[in-house]
Amino acid sequence: MGIWARVSILGTLAFCVHQKRVALAELRREKTQYSSDRHQLELKLVQVIFRHGARTPLRPIPKAEQVEWHPTLLEVPAQTQFDYTVTDLSGGPKPHSPYEDQYKKTTLKGGVIAGQLTKVGMQQMFELGERLRRSYVEKINFLSPVFKPSEVFVRSTNIVRNLESTRCLLAGLFQQHKEGPITIVTDEASTEILYPNYQNCQRLKHLSRGKMESVLLQPGISDDLKMIREEMGIDSEKPVDFFLLLDNIFAEQIHDLPSCPVLKNFLKTIERRSIDSMIYLLEHNSREVLQMCVGPLLYAVHENIMKAIDPSSPATEARKLILYAAHDVTLIPLLMALGIFDHKWPPYAADVTVELYQHQQSKEWFAHLSYHGEEQLVRGCRAELCPLEEFLNALSHYAVSPEEYSVLCSQMDKNQTNS
């Protein structure tokens, strides 16, 4: 290579480095500008999507030694009491919950039912409510100190642990004070958008068909599962996967119950392989799969923002807080879609909080997102305090309207048509 070619390459590299420094400096200036202007920002809307509090396992591990789940674990702390009613989305009677029917079929050793919110979980949710109170009642006086139906919209999946988690959160947030009834709206299981809905979305069901079996055959996952099975003395014919192991060890540890020594020793492996399994099931962050999993929820978040910016009625204008009670299987694809998944299983009572701000002078709009109380840089945003256009653009990549969701879920490929 001639000397001038080398000089040219070095010059090009130097120019690239210079441009990168300029871009980084510009980004730092913008971040500093946004940070210094924060005192001029007016909070307009808060949306919180949260996982329920700690619960009993969904299913016991099929082994001889079972952990005892005593009914005292379900006692309700007095400070979490708060009366509420549940309706469907139209204000009609509470829909039937097939999931609760399923949980009632499993009684754990000690006499409690599977999948139930515990005293520990209730306290976790109460503390999340207290954290929200500190942020939005005491610190900036955004919400009223008592619950007002005009200010707060509450939606939950139709599962008791989520309804009860919401009750505890509201009790902590409003210290059991209210002006008007608390209504939690929910939907039929078949059309729920607060978790990936394999009943309602036939294409999602088709794509996932067989994946739960094939994930157990993946290199690494298969070997580790076989090793843990053997260490625990679990028969190879009994249905066990990493989700079951993680569910039990997390539940046992949060309640200070004696876990199997093998589970304790392999906790990190179990969590890592559970994440690997989930990523495999979600087809390695496939846009189409994420759209079908959380697209309708992201669309709802987007629509709530647009209504807050241009309210069409006094009722819409009065709305300040929107709560969505969801699940770990909601949060994982949601975090993936936002580009902030940390490859850790969402803990009980984890929350994704989206704040909408308007600058009092420039009238510009901004969004700010936090996960489990820590602010996050959403993919596609130049700063944690994200210009709204950038934030909505990030959402639009995965958000789908009800009509788009219907089309997406009904798409058939040749293999599916012929099957």
Side-chain angles (χ1 to χ4, degrees):
M1 183 186 291
I3 186 169
W4 296 114
R6 293 194 186 96
V7 169
S8 174
I9 289 172
L10 289 172
T12 302
L13 287 172
F15 177 75
C16 291
V17 170
H18 172 71
Q19 289 295 94
K20 187 174 182 180
R21 285 174 178 165
V22 169
L24 287 172
E26 182 65 27
L27 183 59
R28 279 193 291 270
R29 276 197 299 274
E30 288 175 349
K31 283 189 176 184
T32 303
Q33 178 189 348
Y34 293 152
S35 299
S36 63
D37 282 353
R38 283 199 180 194
H39 69 281
Q40 296 188 40
L41 295 173
E42 181 182 359
L43 185 59
K44 293 290 189 177
L45 179 69
V46 177
Q47 301 183 71
V48 185
I49 304 159
F50 58 90
R51 187 188 180 195
H52 54 77
R55 54 160 170 74
T56 57
L58 299 179
R59 184 164 61 91
I61 298 172
K63 59 186 177 67
E65 285 295 318
Q66 294 289 332
V67 172
E68 185 169 351
W69 293 88
H70 197 271
T72 55
L73 292 168
L74 305 186
E75 291 175 353
V76 179
Q79 73 270 22
T80 69
Q81 295 276 17
F82 217 18
D83 293 336
Y84 67 93
T85 57
V86 183
T87 72
D88 65 14
L89 297 183
S90 303
K94 176 182 178 291
H96 174 71
S97 177
Y99 287 103
E100 287 303 320
D101 291 343
Q102 199 64 35
Y103 298 141
K104 288 173 184 175
K105 294 177 182 177
T106 303
T107 301
L108 305 172
K109 182 182 178 182
V112 305
I113 294 170
Q116 302 305 299
L117 188 70
T118 63
K119 177 164 57 177
V120 171
M122 294 177 206
Q123 187 60 37
Q124 287 177 322
M125 297 310 302
F126 184 83
E127 290 170 4
L128 174 57
E130 287 187 311
R131 194 188 88 206
L132 296 176
R133 182 178 181 86
R134 288 192 295 271
S135 296
Y136 304 119
V137 176
E138 298 170 0
K139 188 176 177 182
I140 62 171
N141 196 28
F142 174 63
L143 293 173
S144 299
V146 299
F147 176 88
K148 292 183 178 180
S150 60
E151 286 188 357
V152 186
F153 173 81
V154 190
R155 176 170 176 174
S156 170
T157 58
N158 190 18
I159 295 175
V160 172
R161 64 176 175 271
N162 279 48
L163 297 169
E164 291 288 272
S165 288
T166 306
R167 165 181 64 81
C168 298
L169 184 155
L170 291 170
L173 173 52
F174 296 107
Q175 298 296 290
Q176 299 174 297
H177 296 298
K178 59 180 179 174
E179 292 180 5
I182 296 173
T183 301
I184 303 174
V185 302
T186 190
D187 199 3
E188 298 280 356
S190 59
T191 49
E192 183 58 78
I193 67 168
L194 295 182
Y195 48 65
N197 199 324
Y198 295 88
Q199 282 182 274
N200 193 32
C201 188
Q202 287 302 306
R203 178 151 181 80
L204 185 60
K205 183 178 181 180
H206 168 70
L207 291 174
S208 63
R209 186 180 297 155
K211 275 187 169 289
M212 282 303 294
E213 290 77 23
S214 61
V215 69
L216 300 178
L217 304 176
Q218 298 306 300
I221 292 176
S222 173
D223 299 333
D224 285 343
L225 186 60
K226 181 182 178 183
M227 175 182 63
I228 292 172
R229 267 180 176 277
E230 291 174 353
E231 290 279 340
M232 293 182 70
I234 299 175
D235 193 304
S236 61
E237 298 302 314
K238 292 181 178 178
V240 171
D241 57 34
F242 280 110
F243 299 135
L244 175 65
L245 298 177
L246 188 71
D247 186 46
N248 277 264
I249 184 68
F250 273 3
E252 290 161 9
Q253 289 200 339
I254 199 73
H255 294 98
D256 293 323
L257 294 175
S259 295
C260 167
V262 177
L263 287 180
K264 286 192 207 175
N265 292 340
F266 287 99
L267 176 57
K268 288 184 178 179
T269 299
I270 291 169
E271 182 174 9
R272 186 177 74 251
R273 291 309 188 189
S274 295
I275 294 295
D276 292 342
S277 300
M278 181 62 77
I279 291 172
Y280 176 82
L281 294 173
L282 294 173
E283 297 198 355
H284 301 278
N285 304 357
S286 154
R287 182 187 179 195
E288 180 189 25
V289 172
L290 292 180
Q291 283 178 324
M292 290 185 287
C293 287
V294 291
L297 175 56
L298 286 170
Y299 180 80
V301 171
H302 179 282
E303 288 302 287
N304 294 335
I305 289 173
M306 299 310 294
K307 289 175 184 175
I309 290 173
D310 186 19
S312 58
S313 68
T316 305
E317 192 169 7
R319 184 81 69 231
K320 292 183 176 182
L321 175 65
I322 296 173
L323 298 173
Y324 292 116
H327 302 265
D328 49 1
V329 294
T330 315
L331 292 185
I332 291 175
L334 180 67
L335 296 170
M336 286 180 175
L338 295 168
I340 58 173
F341 184 50
D342 59 3
H343 286 76
K344 295 178 182 176
W345 202 268
Y348 298 119
D351 69 289
V352 173
T353 296
V354 181
E355 300 168 332
L356 176 67
Y357 291 93
Q358 186 177 31
H359 196 281
Q360 291 175 305
Q361 290 185 345
S362 69
K363 301 304 178 185
E364 291 177 284
W365 293 88
F366 296 89
H368 179 264
L369 186 141
S370 61
Y371 172 54
H372 212 38
E374 298 290 331
E375 71 173 1
Q376 303 291 321
L377 179 61
V378 174
R379 179 173 49 218
C381 288
R382 72 186 80 171
E384 286 83 0
L385 184 62
C386 185
L388 186 60
E389 185 178 356
E390 293 177 9
F391 184 76
L392 293 180
N393 186 56
L395 291 189
S396 68
H397 194 63
Y398 294 98
V400 290
S401 68
E403 296 77 19
E404 291 168 330
Y405 179 72
S406 179
V407 170
L408 190 62
C409 288
S410 62
Q411 287 178 353
M412 307 278 277
D413 57 33
K414 290 181 180 179
N415 293 333
Q416 191 175 358
T417 306
N418 296 331
S419 62

PDB file of all heavy atoms in Angstrom, residues 241-260:
ATOM      1  N   ASP A 241     -39.501 -27.889  33.308  1.00  0.00           N
ATOM      2  CA  ASP A 241     -38.702 -26.987  32.484  1.00  0.00           C
ATOM      3  C   ASP A 241     -38.111 -25.912  33.384  1.00  0.00           C
ATOM      4  O   ASP A 241     -38.370 -25.889  34.600  1.00  0.00           O
ATOM      5  CB  ASP A 241     -39.534 -26.383  31.342  1.00  0.00           C
ATOM      6  CG  ASP A 241     -40.772 -25.649  31.838  1.00  0.00           C
ATOM      7  OD1 ASP A 241     -40.710 -25.043  32.929  1.00  0.00           O
ATOM      8  OD2 ASP A 241     -41.809 -25.666  31.140  1.00  0.00           O
ATOM      9  N   PHE A 242     -37.332 -25.025  32.803  1.00  0.00           N
ATOM     10  CA  PHE A 242     -36.667 -24.005  33.616  1.00  0.00           C
ATOM     11  C   PHE A 242     -37.650 -22.983  34.181  1.00  0.00           C
ATOM     12  O   PHE A 242     -37.411 -22.406  35.241  1.00  0.00           O
ATOM     13  CB  PHE A 242     -35.552 -23.319  32.819  1.00  0.00           C
ATOM     14  CG  PHE A 242     -34.289 -24.127  32.770  1.00  0.00           C
ATOM     15  CD1 PHE A 242     -33.869 -24.723  31.599  1.00  0.00           C
ATOM     16  CD2 PHE A 242     -33.528 -24.314  33.919  1.00  0.00           C
ATOM     17  CE1 PHE A 242     -32.704 -25.481  31.556  1.00  0.00           C
ATOM     18  CE2 PHE A 242     -32.366 -25.068  33.900  1.00  0.00           C
ATOM     19  CZ  PHE A 242     -31.949 -25.661  32.718  1.00  0.00           C
ATOM     20  N   PHE A 243     -38.760 -22.738  33.479  1.00  0.00           N
ATOM     21  CA  PHE A 243     -39.762 -21.816  34.000  1.00  0.00           C
ATOM     22  C   PHE A 243     -40.336 -22.340  35.320  1.00  0.00           C
ATOM     23  O   PHE A 243     -40.538 -21.580  36.275  1.00  0.00           O
ATOM     24  CB  PHE A 243     -40.900 -21.618  32.987  1.00  0.00           C
ATOM     25  CG  PHE A 243     -40.451 -21.034  31.673  1.00  0.00           C
ATOM     26  CD1 PHE A 243     -40.899 -21.563  30.477  1.00  0.00           C
ATOM     27  CD2 PHE A 243     -39.597 -19.943  31.627  1.00  0.00           C
ATOM     28  CE1 PHE A 243     -40.497 -21.029  29.259  1.00  0.00           C
ATOM     29  CE2 PHE A 243     -39.182 -19.395  30.421  1.00  0.00           C
ATOM     30  CZ  PHE A 243     -39.635 -19.946  29.234  1.00  0.00           C
ATOM     31  N   LEU A 244     -40.619 -23.644  35.376  1.00  0.00           N
ATOM     32  CA  LEU A 244     -41.154 -24.252  36.597  1.00  0.00           C
ATOM     33  C   LEU A 244     -40.148 -24.161  37.737  1.00  0.00           C
ATOM     34  O   LEU A 244     -40.507 -23.808  38.872  1.00  0.00           O
ATOM     35  CB  LEU A 244     -41.505 -25.714  36.318  1.00  0.00           C
ATOM     36  CG  LEU A 244     -41.982 -26.539  37.521  1.00  0.00           C
ATOM     37  CD1 LEU A 244     -43.311 -26.010  38.039  1.00  0.00           C
ATOM     38  CD2 LEU A 244     -42.086 -28.013  37.168  1.00  0.00           C
ATOM     39  N   LEU A 245     -38.889 -24.450  37.449  1.00  0.00           N
ATOM     40  CA  LEU A 245     -37.850 -24.395  38.480  1.00  0.00           C
ATOM     41  C   LEU A 245     -37.681 -22.968  39.001  1.00  0.00           C
ATOM     42  O   LEU A 245     -37.591 -22.741  40.218  1.00  0.00           O
ATOM     43  CB  LEU A 245     -36.518 -24.907  37.911  1.00  0.00           C
ATOM     44  CG  LEU A 245     -36.491 -26.362  37.426  1.00  0.00           C
ATOM     45  CD1 LEU A 245     -35.125 -26.694  36.821  1.00  0.00           C
ATOM     46  CD2 LEU A 245     -36.817 -27.330  38.561  1.00  0.00           C
ATOM     47  N   LEU A 246     -37.635 -22.006  38.087  1.00  0.00           N
ATOM     48  CA  LEU A 246     -37.442 -20.603  38.486  1.00  0.00           C
ATOM     49  C   LEU A 246     -38.636 -20.108  39.293  1.00  0.00           C
ATOM     50  O   LEU A 246     -38.472 -19.406  40.295  1.00  0.00           O
ATOM     51  CB  LEU A 246     -37.243 -19.729  37.245  1.00  0.00           C
ATOM     52  CG  LEU A 246     -36.839 -18.280  37.527  1.00  0.00           C
ATOM     53  CD1 LEU A 246     -35.400 -18.225  38.033  1.00  0.00           C
ATOM     54  CD2 LEU A 246     -36.980 -17.410  36.278  1.00  0.00           C
ATOM     55  N   ASP A 247     -39.834 -20.463  38.853  1.00  0.00           N
ATOM     56  CA  ASP A 247     -41.041 -20.030  39.544  1.00  0.00           C
ATOM     57  C   ASP A 247     -41.023 -20.489  40.996  1.00  0.00           C
ATOM     58  O   ASP A 247     -41.343 -19.723  41.913  1.00  0.00           O
ATOM     59  CB  ASP A 247     -42.272 -20.595  38.816  1.00  0.00           C
ATOM     60  CG  ASP A 247     -43.571 -20.068  39.396  1.00  0.00           C
ATOM     61  OD1 ASP A 247     -43.672 -18.857  39.619  1.00  0.00           O
ATOM     62  OD2 ASP A 247     -44.488 -20.880  39.633  1.00  0.00           O
ATOM     63  N   ASN A 248     -40.637 -21.720  41.222  1.00  0.00           N
ATOM     64  CA  ASN A 248     -40.624 -22.263  42.578  1.00  0.00           C
ATOM     65  C   ASN A 248     -39.502 -21.680  43.433  1.00  0.00           C
ATOM     66  O   ASN A 248     -39.732 -21.301  44.585  1.00  0.00           O
ATOM     67  CB  ASN A 248     -40.524 -23.786  42.530  1.00  0.00           C
ATOM     68  CG  ASN A 248     -41.859 -24.458  42.312  1.00  0.00           C
ATOM     69  OD1 ASN A 248     -42.520 -24.872  43.253  1.00  0.00           O
ATOM     70  ND2 ASN A 248     -42.280 -24.555  41.058  1.00  0.00           N
ATOM     71  N   ILE A 249     -38.296 -21.583  42.890  1.00  0.00           N
ATOM     72  CA  ILE A 249     -37.181 -21.077  43.698  1.00  0.00           C
ATOM     73  C   ILE A 249     -37.379 -19.602  44.040  1.00  0.00           C
ATOM     74  O   ILE A 249     -37.117 -19.173  45.174  1.00  0.00           O
ATOM     75  CB  ILE A 249     -35.803 -21.299  42.995  1.00  0.00           C
ATOM     76  CG1 ILE A 249     -34.642 -20.853  43.877  1.00  0.00           C
ATOM     77  CG2 ILE A 249     -35.725 -20.616  41.657  1.00  0.00           C
ATOM     78  CD1 ILE A 249     -34.416 -21.664  45.107  1.00  0.00           C
ATOM     79  N   PHE A 250     -37.888 -18.802  43.106  1.00  0.00           N
ATOM     80  CA  PHE A 250     -38.156 -17.392  43.397  1.00  0.00           C
ATOM     81  C   PHE A 250     -39.223 -17.259  44.489  1.00  0.00           C
ATOM     82  O   PHE A 250     -39.092 -16.444  45.417  1.00  0.00           O
ATOM     83  CB  PHE A 250     -38.609 -16.658  42.139  1.00  0.00           C
ATOM     84  CG  PHE A 250     -37.470 -16.119  41.304  1.00  0.00           C
ATOM     85  CD1 PHE A 250     -36.149 -16.349  41.644  1.00  0.00           C
ATOM     86  CD2 PHE A 250     -37.725 -15.378  40.161  1.00  0.00           C
ATOM     87  CE1 PHE A 250     -35.102 -15.857  40.881  1.00  0.00           C
ATOM     88  CE2 PHE A 250     -36.684 -14.868  39.378  1.00  0.00           C
ATOM     89  CZ  PHE A 250     -35.372 -15.107  39.749  1.00  0.00           C
ATOM     90  N   ALA A 251     -40.300 -18.055  44.365  1.00  0.00           N
ATOM     91  CA  ALA A 251     -41.379 -17.985  45.351  1.00  0.00           C
ATOM     92  C   ALA A 251     -40.893 -18.422  46.726  1.00  0.00           C
ATOM     93  O   ALA A 251     -41.216 -17.793  47.746  1.00  0.00           O
ATOM     94  CB  ALA A 251     -42.551 -18.847  44.896  1.00  0.00           C
ATOM     95  N   GLU A 252     -40.103 -19.477  46.771  1.00  0.00           N
ATOM     96  CA  GLU A 252     -39.614 -19.979  48.056  1.00  0.00           C
ATOM     97  C   GLU A 252     -38.663 -18.987  48.717  1.00  0.00           C
ATOM     98  O   GLU A 252     -38.744 -18.732  49.929  1.00  0.00           O
ATOM     99  CB  GLU A 252     -38.908 -21.325  47.844  1.00  0.00           C
ATOM    100  CG  GLU A 252     -39.867 -22.448  47.480  1.00  0.00           C
ATOM    101  CD  GLU A 252     -39.185 -23.649  46.830  1.00  0.00           C
ATOM    102  OE1 GLU A 252     -37.933 -23.689  46.811  1.00  0.00           O
ATOM    103  OE2 GLU A 252     -39.910 -24.533  46.327  1.00  0.00           O
ATOM    104  N   GLN A 253     -37.784 -18.397  47.939  1.00  0.00           N
ATOM    105  CA  GLN A 253     -36.785 -17.497  48.515  1.00  0.00           C
ATOM    106  C   GLN A 253     -37.412 -16.210  49.045  1.00  0.00           C
ATOM    107  O   GLN A 253     -37.033 -15.733  50.115  1.00  0.00           O
ATOM    108  CB  GLN A 253     -35.702 -17.188  47.482  1.00  0.00           C
ATOM    109  CG  GLN A 253     -34.797 -18.376  47.201  1.00  0.00           C
ATOM    110  CD  GLN A 253     -33.468 -17.971  46.582  1.00  0.00           C
ATOM    111  OE1 GLN A 253     -33.332 -16.894  46.018  1.00  0.00           O
ATOM    112  NE2 GLN A 253     -32.480 -18.842  46.693  1.00  0.00           N
ATOM    113  N   ILE A 254     -38.359 -15.645  48.316  1.00  0.00           N
ATOM    114  CA  ILE A 254     -38.959 -14.382  48.748  1.00  0.00           C
ATOM    115  C   ILE A 254     -39.766 -14.563  50.032  1.00  0.00           C
ATOM    116  O   ILE A 254     -39.977 -13.623  50.797  1.00  0.00           O
ATOM    117  CB  ILE A 254     -39.833 -13.768  47.625  1.00  0.00           C
ATOM    118  CG1 ILE A 254     -40.078 -12.257  47.872  1.00  0.00           C
ATOM    119  CG2 ILE A 254     -41.174 -14.476  47.510  1.00  0.00           C
ATOM    120  CD1 ILE A 254     -38.887 -11.396  47.636  1.00  0.00           C
ATOM    121  N   HIS A 255     -40.201 -15.826  50.287  1.00  0.00           N
ATOM    122  CA  HIS A 255     -40.975 -16.108  51.498  1.00  0.00           C
ATOM    123  C   HIS A 255     -40.124 -16.780  52.589  1.00  0.00           C
ATOM    124  O   HIS A 255     -40.666 -17.271  53.587  1.00  0.00           O
ATOM    125  CB  HIS A 255     -42.174 -16.995  51.160  1.00  0.00           C
ATOM    126  CG  HIS A 255     -43.176 -16.313  50.279  1.00  0.00           C
ATOM    127  ND1 HIS A 255     -43.210 -16.490  48.906  1.00  0.00           N
ATOM    128  CD2 HIS A 255     -44.168 -15.440  50.562  1.00  0.00           C
ATOM    129  CE1 HIS A 255     -44.184 -15.761  48.392  1.00  0.00           C
ATOM    130  NE2 HIS A 255     -44.777 -15.114  49.369  1.00  0.00           N
ATOM    131  N   ASP A 256     -38.808 -16.814  52.373  1.00  0.00           N
ATOM    132  CA  ASP A 256     -37.882 -17.413  53.353  1.00  0.00           C
ATOM    133  C   ASP A 256     -38.256 -18.857  53.679  1.00  0.00           C
ATOM    134  O   ASP A 256     -38.179 -19.290  54.838  1.00  0.00           O
ATOM    135  CB  ASP A 256     -37.843 -16.585  54.647  1.00  0.00           C
ATOM    136  CG  ASP A 256     -37.216 -15.220  54.436  1.00  0.00           C
ATOM    137  OD1 ASP A 256     -36.254 -15.132  53.648  1.00  0.00           O
ATOM    138  OD2 ASP A 256     -37.695 -14.241  55.036  1.00  0.00           O
ATOM    139  N   LEU A 257     -38.644 -19.592  52.656  1.00  0.00           N
ATOM    140  CA  LEU A 257     -38.964 -21.005  52.834  1.00  0.00           C
ATOM    141  C   LEU A 257     -37.750 -21.854  52.443  1.00  0.00           C
ATOM    142  O   LEU A 257     -36.941 -21.442  51.608  1.00  0.00           O
ATOM    143  CB  LEU A 257     -40.178 -21.383  51.992  1.00  0.00           C
ATOM    144  CG  LEU A 257     -41.499 -20.715  52.409  1.00  0.00           C
ATOM    145  CD1 LEU A 257     -42.607 -21.059  51.424  1.00  0.00           C
ATOM    146  CD2 LEU A 257     -41.893 -21.129  53.817  1.00  0.00           C
ATOM    147  N   PRO A 258     -37.617 -23.036  53.018  1.00  0.00           N
ATOM    148  CA  PRO A 258     -36.444 -23.875  52.743  1.00  0.00           C
ATOM    149  C   PRO A 258     -36.462 -24.474  51.334  1.00  0.00           C
ATOM    150  O   PRO A 258     -37.242 -25.383  51.058  1.00  0.00           O
ATOM    151  CB  PRO A 258     -36.529 -24.966  53.807  1.00  0.00           C
ATOM    152  CG  PRO A 258     -37.987 -25.047  54.140  1.00  0.00           C
ATOM    153  CD  PRO A 258     -38.525 -23.663  54.001  1.00  0.00           C
ATOM    154  N   SER A 259     -35.636 -23.955  50.471  1.00  0.00           N
ATOM    155  CA  SER A 259     -35.560 -24.455  49.096  1.00  0.00           C
ATOM    156  C   SER A 259     -34.663 -25.676  49.016  1.00  0.00           C
ATOM    157  O   SER A 259     -33.771 -25.876  49.853  1.00  0.00           O
ATOM    158  CB  SER A 259     -35.002 -23.373  48.170  1.00  0.00           C
ATOM    159  OG  SER A 259     -35.882 -22.283  48.084  1.00  0.00           O
ATOM    160  N   CYS A 260     -34.884 -26.465  47.993  1.00  0.00           N
ATOM    161  CA  CYS A 260     -34.012 -27.598  47.698  1.00  0.00           C
ATOM    162  C   CYS A 260     -32.585 -27.082  47.480  1.00  0.00           C
ATOM    163  O   CYS A 260     -32.385 -26.125  46.721  1.00  0.00           O
ATOM    164  CB  CYS A 260     -34.533 -28.307  46.457  1.00  0.00           C
ATOM    165  SG  CYS A 260     -33.386 -29.485  45.747  1.00  0.00           S
TER     166      CYS A 260
END
